[in-house]
Amino acid sequence: MRADARKNYDHLLSVARDVFMEEGANASLRDIARRAEVGLGTLYRHFPSREALLEALLRSSFEALATRADELQKSGDSADALMLWLQEIIAFTHEHRGVIAPMVNAIEDPNSALHASCITLRAAGAALLARAQADGRARADLNGSELFDLIAALAWLREQPSHAPRADRLFSVIAGAILEIPKKSKARSHPGIQTKE
């Protein structure tokens, strides 16, 4: 990429990041181009779709979440690891308002620029779930795709002003449904989970 093209690319990313943080992932691409003081055609030459722009903006965050899941695979308690990662990915989607819908759509669309990153995230969550299941700490009838759907549902709730106050409570309810609490010992406390003795 030529130096001037790289400068335009980096400038567009910087402006797009600001606009998406202000308005969410559904922000107008035309507004991004206008604020970057380039033509819409220039934006599309660098980013042929909204998903391509989101992928460029979020790539490092997706990689960090996948790396975090790998690190948590080595942590002491598999249930704690799974719950902590769920909280972190939901917090990520909340910080990047509106991104959960394109992520969910990208899972089913191999042509989406976000597809590979989202498949990697789903696999990371599935691996944490499988470890907890192998340890007898998570219900055996849940799979990685269903876990990703639960993440999407909880992330969506956090984006709705009328539901957001209940988001933490519902996370606790869903977390309790995912986990298998040993019956012969006191339940361990997990991040975001309130258990009864």
Side-chain angles (χ1 to χ4, degrees):
M1 187 182 292
R2 298 193 326 265
D4 57 341
R6 168 56 68 179
K7 184 177 179 181
N8 278 341
Y9 179 92
D10 292 341
H11 180 57
L12 278 166
L13 272 184
S14 177
V15 171
R17 182 174 289 107
D18 291 342
V19 173
F20 282 145
M21 291 304 289
E22 292 169 14
E23 302 178 22
N26 291 320
S28 165
L29 298 185
R30 187 177 299 279
D31 285 348
I32 292 171
R34 179 180 50 78
R35 283 176 58 170
E37 298 181 339
V38 299
L40 190 58
T42 298
L43 186 148
Y44 279 119
R45 275 197 298 277
H46 289 290
F47 308 104
S49 67
R50 180 180 301 275
E51 289 77 16
L53 179 54
L54 285 171
E55 194 279 332
L57 284 171
L58 301 176
R59 184 183 306 132
S60 61
S61 296
F62 285 147
E63 290 171 355
L65 283 165
T67 299
R68 176 68 168 148
D70 289 341
E71 293 169 353
L72 287 169
Q73 281 283 10
K74 305 175 183 72
S75 69
D77 186 271
S78 56
D80 286 340
L82 176 59
M83 290 301 108
L84 185 56
W85 191 79
L86 287 181
Q87 284 188 316
E88 290 178 5
I89 193 170
I90 290 167
F92 161 80
T93 60
H94 182 59
E95 181 182 352
H96 298 84
R97 186 164 43 97
V99 76
I100 195 62
M103 287 174 67
V104 169
N105 292 335
I107 285 281
E108 307 300 331
D109 181 6
N111 295 318
S112 169
L114 289 168
H115 180 74
S117 294
C118 292
I119 290 291
T120 298
L121 280 183
R122 184 175 66 181
L128 287 170
L129 173 64
R131 178 181 172 226
Q133 289 169 327
D135 290 346
R137 302 301 309 281
R139 59 187 298 161
D141 62 345
L142 189 68
N143 63 40
S145 294
E146 292 166 338
L147 184 69
F148 200 85
D149 288 343
L150 289 173
I151 291 168
L154 288 166
W156 180 85
L157 278 172
R158 282 192 178 274
E159 290 185 358
Q160 314 309 310
S162 61
H163 298 288
R166 297 193 293 274
D168 288 339
R169 158 80 178 144
L170 291 172
F171 179 89
S172 297
V173 171
I174 291 176
I178 292 172
L179 298 182
E180 293 283 357
I181 305 298
K183 292 181 174 57
K184 293 187 178 180
S185 62
K186 287 188 177 181
R188 294 173 57 98
S189 62
H190 296 276
I193 306 172
Q194 296 179 359
T195 57
K196 295 180 181 178
E197 295 187 7

